[in-house]
Amino acid sequence: MDHTHHCRNLTVKRVLAYVLLISGLLGLPERVWSQIGSGAPDASVRVQVQMQGEARQESQTKAQPKTFVGQVLDQDAAVMAKVPPDPLSTRDPFRPILWPVDVTMNELRKRKRLSLAATYTVLNQYATETPDRVRHNWATGRFDLSGGWKAYDHGGNAGTFSILVRSGVNLGVSQHFNLSDDLGSDLFLNCLPGGGPQEPITLNILYYRQDFYQKKMALYIGKIHPNEFISLSLYNNDERSQFLNAENDGNLTVPSDGTYAGGAAFEYQVTQHIYMHAVTVDTEGAQQTNLETLADKKYMNAIELGWKDGAPTQQEHLFRFLVWRDDTATQGSGAGLGFGSDYELKSGWAPFGRVGIGTDTGSNIKRVFDAGIANIRPFGRSGDMFGASITITDPGHGAKHHESLFETFYRVRLTQSLELGPDLEVSVHPTNSVKQYTTALLGLRMKMIF
């Protein structure tokens, strides 16, 4: 028993040492990168895996008319890059170590068009009610390392390579333990590891993006994440800083929406307000696998049409509609449609919602309703964020219950490099549990931004 405890402590120490080593080597190239008010990049969308900030904005301004500057999501990235982190304390314990690295990485970004960023997120959760012989508590940690290299940028054409490497670990328990799975939830109550055992290291994203037609069109090919292109909401999409459950990380009726797998995507900015996104992804792929399953020809295809006005933190109004179909190896073929909306108010409150409807086959969940509200500057602080949402699902035939979920969180930007905040999830009748019950998960989350 003492030997096991010693090994676990040694594992934790090695993970923390690894994180600190990487952070010292890489740092954060641009401290003002952000998703909504966080001052940090978002792991599941382009804000983290592509070139950002002033270099991108200056390039687009020179190449495009001011009234139409390419892809709307790229415009969002440029806007969010300038949101101040607004830390509670200006004294940052990591600053003396990271400041020289930040300067070096900024120069590398400007001269070589190479950007790197890293975060480490730790979450401790306690479930008030569990099935028999299932432990109540677990702690997880996830390290995200991302990079983007702009190979060239000539007027309206550009080529970019993007990468996202991830490492997950359970702290103090077996790496095969997953509390969300053991509770019987089908909503991935902790989307940091997702479902199944933790993965020590995975290559989640590696793709090439080609911009053309005055950057109104973009083609992606490689290992992608569909949620970068469809059912994307910048108000409720980052499990490291926003909602933890998977429905708020996409639309769960859309199969493979949250999967990192081989595929391709296409973006077309039709007008300043209207866009069209299309994606094809391997339904057998996963973050821990390579591209060999592409040969099985089991794909999910989706097209999303959207109308957008404004920008994040600047009263963004977004409405999106998508259709999809898929072929799978174990669940047959299916099809469906979805709708989503984000509507930011002048006060900083932003109501949002998603609706999804699918066939009985091809997906685990055939209907979902998700609605909530976020505040991107509570108490006037752009570094903090509050959110609350409710999700109601209608699962497939193999499920035992119709699971509902309530979640709320508050995120405090303590320093330039540290976020901390509580999270509460209430799962009513977990989908796959034999026992019909309600459980509350009390969580405390911390994110280090390197």
Side-chain angles (χ1 to χ4, degrees), residues 241-256:
S241 294
Q242 300 173 355
F243 295 95
L244 283 169
N245 75 83
E247 173 53 30
N248 285 93
D249 195 29
N251 188 324
L252 289 181
T253 59
V254 184
S256 302

Side-chain angles (χ1 to χ4, degrees), residues 39-360:
D42 179 348
S44 56
V45 297
R46 70 195 63 237
V47 180
Q48 180 161 359
V49 298
Q50 292 179 197
M51 300 294 291
Q52 311 296 326
E54 294 178 357
R56 163 175 293 215
Q57 192 177 45
E58 290 170 1
S59 172
Q60 290 178 338
T61 301
K62 292 176 182 178
Q64 312 295 334
K66 291 184 178 181
T67 56
F68 194 92
V69 288
Q71 297 294 324
V72 164
L73 292 178
D74 293 339
Q75 298 177 49
D76 287 351
V79 171
M80 291 186 292
K82 296 189 177 297
V83 176
D86 192 19
L88 193 63
S89 173
T90 56
R91 299 189 63 179
D92 191 339
F94 295 104
R95 183 65 177 171
I97 300 173
L98 296 181
W99 180 77
V101 181
D102 290 346
V103 174
T104 302
M105 295 306 297
N106 272 324
E107 288 300 314
L108 185 62
R109 175 183 60 81
K110 293 176 181 178
R111 296 183 180 183
K112 303 296 184 181
R113 295 178 176 176
L114 174 64
S115 292
L116 296 170
T119 63
Y120 188 72
T121 310
V122 181
L123 173 69
N124 187 46
Q125 280 186 315
Y126 180 87
T128 58
E129 182 76 15
T130 67
D132 295 339
R133 293 183 295 278
V134 173
R135 64 178 291 138
H136 292 257
N137 185 73
W138 78 328
T140 62
R142 196 181 85 188
F143 177 70
D144 293 271
L145 172 63
S146 64
W149 177 56
K150 183 167 287 187
Y152 76 95
D153 189 347
H154 301 312
N157 300 322
T160 308
F161 291 92
S162 297
I163 187 171
L164 172 61
V165 178
R166 181 171 289 170
S167 177
V169 62
N170 284 342
L171 305 178
V173 297
S174 167
Q175 301 307 304
H176 292 276
F177 177 72
N178 189 299
L179 180 60
S180 178
D181 290 351
D182 287 353
L183 291 176
S185 176
D186 212 19
L187 300 178
F188 302 105
L189 302 178
N190 181 356
C191 203
L192 287 168
Q198 290 275 14
E199 298 292 339
I201 186 167
T202 56
L203 177 62
N204 291 45
I205 283 177
L206 180 60
Y207 63 69
Y208 174 74
R209 167 180 170 171
Q210 177 62 53
D211 290 273
F212 53 98
Y213 189 41
Q214 295 300 301
K215 294 185 179 177
K216 296 178 185 179
M217 294 184 178
L219 177 66
Y220 301 74
I221 187 166
K223 196 167 187 179
I224 65 173
H225 187 263
N227 189 225
E228 290 185 65
F229 314 101
I230 58 174
S231 65
L232 171 63
S233 170
L234 298 181
Y235 300 87
N236 61 328
N237 198 76
D238 185 0
E239 61 273 10
R240 300 168 309 150
S241 294
Q242 300 173 355
F243 295 95
L244 283 169
N245 75 83
E247 173 53 30
N248 285 93
D249 195 29
N251 188 324
L252 289 181
T253 59
V254 184
S256 302
D257 194 10
T259 300
Y260 296 91
F266 176 74
E267 297 176 333
Y268 176 33
Q269 196 65 43
V270 183
T271 71
Q272 186 176 359
H273 297 286
I274 299 174
Y275 70 82
M276 186 275 288
H277 292 171
V279 63
T280 295
V281 68
D282 178 14
T283 59
E284 298 180 6
Q287 63 186 53
Q288 67 270 21
T289 63
N290 54 32
L291 304 180
E292 62 183 9
T293 53
L294 283 168
D296 296 338
K297 298 181 181 179
K298 303 292 184 181
Y299 307 129
M300 188 274 289
N301 307 302
I303 296 178
E304 177 174 290
L305 296 176
W307 182 91
K308 182 178 180 301
D309 185 43
T313 74
Q314 299 175 10
Q315 299 184 55
E316 178 185 62
H317 301 158
L318 174 63
F319 302 91
R320 54 189 181 273
F321 173 80
L322 69 89
V323 294
W324 62 268
R325 66 161 304 279
D326 76 331
D327 296 311
T328 70
T330 59
Q331 296 179 314
S333 301
L337 53 87
F339 175 80
S341 175
D342 304 314
Y343 201 91
E344 183 188 327
L345 304 174
K346 186 177 182 180
S347 61
W349 289 99
F352 60 83
R354 291 188 180 100
V355 176
I357 301 173
T359 55
D360 291 338

Side-chain angles (χ1 to χ4, degrees), residues 375-404:
N375 193 317
I376 61 174
R377 49 179 181 275
F379 308 108
R381 290 181 41 78
S382 62
D384 292 5
M385 187 174 181
F386 165 80
S389 72
I390 185 170
T391 298
I392 301 172
T393 67
D394 183 8
H397 290 306
K400 299 177 176 64
H401 309 290
H402 293 229
E403 184 175 6
S404 300

